Amino acid sequence: MSIFPYVYYMILSFKITSDTRQIAVYVGMVTSAFAFAEFSSGVAWGRISDRVGRKPVLLAGLAGTALSMLVFGFAPNLPVALIGRALGGLLNGNMGVLQTTVAEIVTVKEHQPRAYAIMPFVWCLGSILGPALGGALAQPCENFPTIFARDTIFDKFPYLLPNMVCAVVLVFGVLVGVLFLEETHEDKKGRRDVGIEAGRWLLSHLKSQADPEPVDKAGEANIEDYQSLLEDDAPPGYRTTEGSPRLPSSPSQTPSTGCVGLGSISGKGKSRPRGVKKAFTKQVVLNIVGFGILAYHSISFDQLMPVFLSEPITREPASLPFRFTGGFAFSSKTIGLILSVQGVYSLVAQIFLFPFAARHFGTLKTFRFVVMSWPLLYFLVPYLVLLPQRFQMIGVYFCLLWKITAQVIAFPSNAILLTNSAPSLLVLGVINGVAASTASLARAFGPTVTGIIHSWGLEIGCTGLAWWASGIACVIGAVESLWMAEVDGRMDCCNLEDEEDISDDGLIDPLAIDLAITADNGSPPSCLEADTPYNRIIDSKIN
C-alpha cells in the first residue's frame, strides 16, 4: 500500500517512455511482480510452516519484506524495481500461514466473525499508515527542502525514505514477534522457545522496576503451585489462558481400539497423495475460486485508482456514454492522504460492520449481497471525472468508501466459508496454501491485465474500459457465489484428539480425511462403534 501514492511518479522518473498513456502498464508490472513471486512460493511456505512451525515462517516473511523494500527504494531503474518487488513476494509466505494460524487458535464457530476480522483490521491499520508515509515521504528533497538537502542520497534515490521507514517498522515487528508471538502448530507449540522466554523475562524485569514493593517469594511460589494444580484439573481445551476452547497441546494417548478424532491420524508414516485430493471438495474449490476472483478485481481497483487520480486533466470533449478520458492530476501527497482516510474508515467498518452483518444475516448471505452489488461500483467510478470540480472529491471518497465496505465484508466472509468447508483441520494448511497461491496468481495478473486494458482504453478515448473489464470479473464472482453453500464442516464437530505428526514428506494421511469426511456426512466410521465416553460425545453431536 505504501508504494501506491508515488509509483506513478516513480515510473515517470525512470524515463522509460514519453507516452503517459503507457505508464499504467509499467505500474501494473511493478504491482504484479510481488504477486507472481508470492504465487510461486506460497505453497512451499505453507509446507515449511507445517515442518518448522508457523512462527518462524511469519518472522521470515517480515524480514524478507523489509529487505525487498530497501532494494525497491534504491532502485535506479525499472528492472531493479521489479527485482525488489519480486524478492518481497518470494520471501513472504505470510498470507496463507496467517489464515492457518487463526484457524488453529479459533475452534468455536461463534467466535469466527470477530476472529477473522482481526487480520483485515490490522491490514486497515497498514492502509492508513502506508499510504500516508509513502505519499508524504516520497521525494523528500522537494517536499522538505529545509531538512533534506540536494545532492544527498535522498536526492539520488527520491523514493528511498518511505521504504526505509517501512523497513524499520518491519524490523520492529520481527523483534516483537521473536519475543511475544507464540507458536500455534499442534506439534510444535510445546517445544522450548527462547524468544518467548526472553520476552517474559523482559516483561517481568520491567514490571519489577515499575513495582519495587517487596514480594513474598514463598507465598508467590505457593500461589503458582495452586494455580498449576487448578489448571491441571481443568478439562482439556478450557484452560484459563485460552479465549476459545482448543485441543490440548500434548499428544493424547488412546487405546488402539478407541475412537480416532476427526483431525487425528493413524498409521504414522503411511501418508499418500490421495488424501490431499480428498481435501478439495466441491465447496472448498468454489470458495478458493471465489477468493481468487475477489483478489483479482480488488487489487485491480487498488492499482488503477491511484493511476486514475494521478493522470492529467484533459480538455477533450466527452462523447457519452462511453468515450471520455482524463484524470484528476492529484499529487502523491494528496493521493496518500485520500488513501489514508479510506483506511481510517476501514478500521471502523472492520470492527463494527462485518461482525454485525455476519452475526445477524449469516456469513453466506452477507457475502452474496456484497459481491452482487460490487459490480455497480466499477461501472460508476470512471464517470467521476465528468462531475463538476466541486463534487469530484466527494465522489472519489464515496467510491473509495463503497469499495472498502465491500472489501472488509467479502474477504473475511470468504475466509470463514473456506475454513468451515474444510473436511478436517489436518488439511486446512494445504487448503489455505492453495488459496493463498490462487489469490497471489490473481493479484499477479490483475494489475498487469488492467494496466494494458487501461492504456488501450486511453488510446481509443475510453478511460472507463479497464474499470468495466474489472466489473465483468466481479459479475463472474457474483454468479459463482450462487453455487456456494454454508456447510457444517469441522467447526461443528467435536475434535477429540490432537493432530499427530503428518509424516516426513508433509503429505496427508487419507485415513484421517476419510474419517473426517465420513463423520461430516453423518455416518460414523467403524471405530466409533465402541461404547466409550469419547464415542458417546460424538454420537450426541451426530444425532
Side-chain angles (χ1 to χ4, degrees):
M1 292 294 289
S2 65
I3 73 170
F4 286 150
Y6 63 79
V7 66
Y8 181 89
Y9 298 99
M10 186 178 191
I11 298 298
L12 275 178
S13 69
F14 292 155
K15 298 179 181 179
I16 304 169
T17 178
S18 58
D19 187 359
T20 56
R21 293 175 297 184
Q22 300 297 320
I23 297 297
V25 177
Y26 297 106
V27 170
M29 291 172 60
V30 171
T31 307
S32 298
F34 179 93
F36 265 122
E38 188 179 32
F39 162 74
S40 64
S41 63
V43 175
W45 280 115
R47 289 188 177 277
I48 292 173
S49 73
D50 287 337
R51 288 174 176 263
V52 304
R54 317 301 182 201
K55 178 176 178 176
V57 172
L58 294 176
L59 297 181
L62 292 176
T65 303
L67 177 61
S68 71
M69 298 204 76
L70 292 177
V71 174
F72 187 74
F74 279 108
N77 48 49
L78 181 61
V80 177
L82 293 176
I83 291 173
R85 293 288 293 166
L87 184 64
L90 285 173
L91 299 178
N92 191 345
N94 283 1
M95 187 170 71
V97 178
L98 276 172
Q99 294 276 18
T100 305
T101 301
V102 174
E104 288 172 336
I105 294 174
V106 182
T107 59
V108 176
K109 194 170 185 178
E110 289 73 16
H111 296 170
Q112 284 183 309
R114 182 67 65 184
Y116 277 91
I118 294 176
M119 278 194 298
F121 174 81
V122 177
W123 178 272
C124 294
L125 285 176
S127 67
I128 296 172
L129 299 176
L133 289 174
L137 301 181
Q139 300 173 307
C141 295
E142 294 182 10
N143 295 328
F144 308 101
T146 57
I147 302 176
F148 299 93
R150 293 288 182 178
D151 299 326
T152 61
I153 189 173
F154 296 110
D155 188 24
K156 184 177 181 181
F157 302 102
Y159 304 100
L160 173 61
L161 183 60
N163 287 279
M164 286 184 63
V165 173
C166 290
V168 170
V169 173
L170 288 166
V171 170
F172 177 75
V174 172
L175 180 61
V176 172
V178 169
L179 295 177
F180 305 111
L181 179 63
E182 296 185 2
E183 180 60 61
T184 62
H185 192 292
E186 284 295 331
D187 295 327
K188 311 297 181 184
K189 63 184 180 181
R191 65 187 178 186
R192 181 184 179 187
D193 191 328
V194 178
I196 293 293
E197 293 176 359
R200 290 172 179 169
W201 176 86
L202 181 63
L203 289 178
S204 63
H205 185 68
L206 293 175
K207 184 178 179 181
S208 62
Q209 287 186 342
D211 187 14
E213 295 181 3
V215 180
D216 185 359
K217 297 294 182 180
E220 185 178 74
N222 290 333
I223 292 175
E224 291 180 354
D225 290 339
Y226 288 133
Q227 193 173 28
S228 64
L229 287 173
L230 289 173
E231 288 185 353
D232 288 338
D233 291 337
Y238 289 88
R239 305 287 168 84
T240 57
T241 58
E242 299 175 356
S244 178
R246 72 177 76 170
L247 298 170
S249 59
S250 59
S252 56
Q253 303 295 329
T254 56
S256 58
T257 57
C259 170
V260 179
L262 296 179
S264 66
I265 292 180
S266 64
K268 194 173 180 179
K270 300 180 181 179
S271 301
R272 296 187 299 274
R274 184 169 59 88
V276 178
K277 295 178 181 178
K278 287 193 174 185
F280 292 92
T281 62
K282 177 183 176 181
Q283 288 303 317
V284 168
V285 172
L286 285 173
N287 279 284
I288 290 177
V289 172
F291 187 35
I293 295 174
L294 277 177
Y296 175 89
H297 66 76
S298 178
I299 192 64
S300 297
F301 187 104
D302 291 339
Q303 178 258 335
L304 192 56
M305 179 59 87
V307 173
F308 186 41
L309 299 177
S310 302
E311 288 175 336
I313 299 172
T314 183
R315 301 302 176 186
E316 297 179 6
S319 178
L320 297 176
F322 302 119
R323 289 189 173 273
F324 54 91
T325 59
F328 298 89
F330 290 158
S331 65
S332 61
K333 187 181 294 187
T334 302
I335 295 172
L337 177 62
I338 291 173
L339 297 181
S340 295
V341 170
Q342 76 164 4
V344 173
Y345 167 75
S346 63
L347 279 178
V348 179
Q350 197 68 64
I351 296 173
F352 300 105
L353 185 58
F354 167 67
F356 175 83
R359 186 167 56 250
H360 286 79
F361 304 107
T363 304
L364 182 59
K365 290 182 179 179
T366 303
F367 178 77
R368 282 178 177 166
F369 175 79
V370 168
V371 297
M372 289 182 180
S373 60
W374 206 334
L376 181 61
L377 173 65
Y378 289 101
F379 177 77
L380 296 177
V381 168
Y383 292 98
L384 293 175
V385 75
L386 301 179
L387 292 175
Q389 189 172 2
R390 65 180 181 275
F391 295 121
Q392 285 183 348
M393 187 64 77
I394 297 175
V396 168
Y397 277 114
F398 174 77
C399 289
L400 286 174
L401 297 184
W402 184 350
K403 188 261 182 181
I404 288 299
T405 301
Q407 181 173 299
V408 300
I409 292 177
F411 277 99
S413 296
N414 180 268
I416 291 175
L417 292 171
L418 178 61
T419 298
N420 291 344
S421 65
S424 171
L425 184 63
L426 280 174
V427 297
L428 192 56
V430 177
I431 290 173
N432 279 326
V434 173
S437 294
T438 302
S440 297
L441 184 63
R443 290 189 177 101
F445 279 108
T448 300
V449 174
T450 301
I452 293 173
I453 296 175
H454 185 63
S455 296
W456 180 44
L458 293 179
E459 291 178 1
I460 64 176
C462 183
T463 195
L465 188 61
W467 293 102
W468 300 328
S470 297
I472 292 175
C474 195
V475 169
I476 295 173
V479 174
E480 190 257 357
S481 70
L482 296 176
W483 279 272
M484 293 183 182
E486 280 192 285
V487 296
D488 292 337
R490 64 175 189 83
M491 298 296 289
D492 294 314
C493 299
C494 182
N495 291 333
L496 302 176
E497 296 182 359
D498 293 333
E499 279 80 19
E500 307 258 348
D501 188 29
I502 306 179
S503 85
D504 294 336
D505 58 0
L507 298 176
I508 308 300
D509 190 335
L511 176 59
I513 301 174
D514 291 342
L515 290 171
I517 296 173
T518 305
D520 183 52
N521 291 334
S523 58
S526 58
C527 72
L528 300 180
E529 295 177 357
D531 185 18
T532 65
Y534 290 104
N535 298 340
R536 286 195 292 271
I537 295 175
I538 285 193
D539 289 338
S540 65
K541 288 289 181 180
I542 295 176
N543 299 326

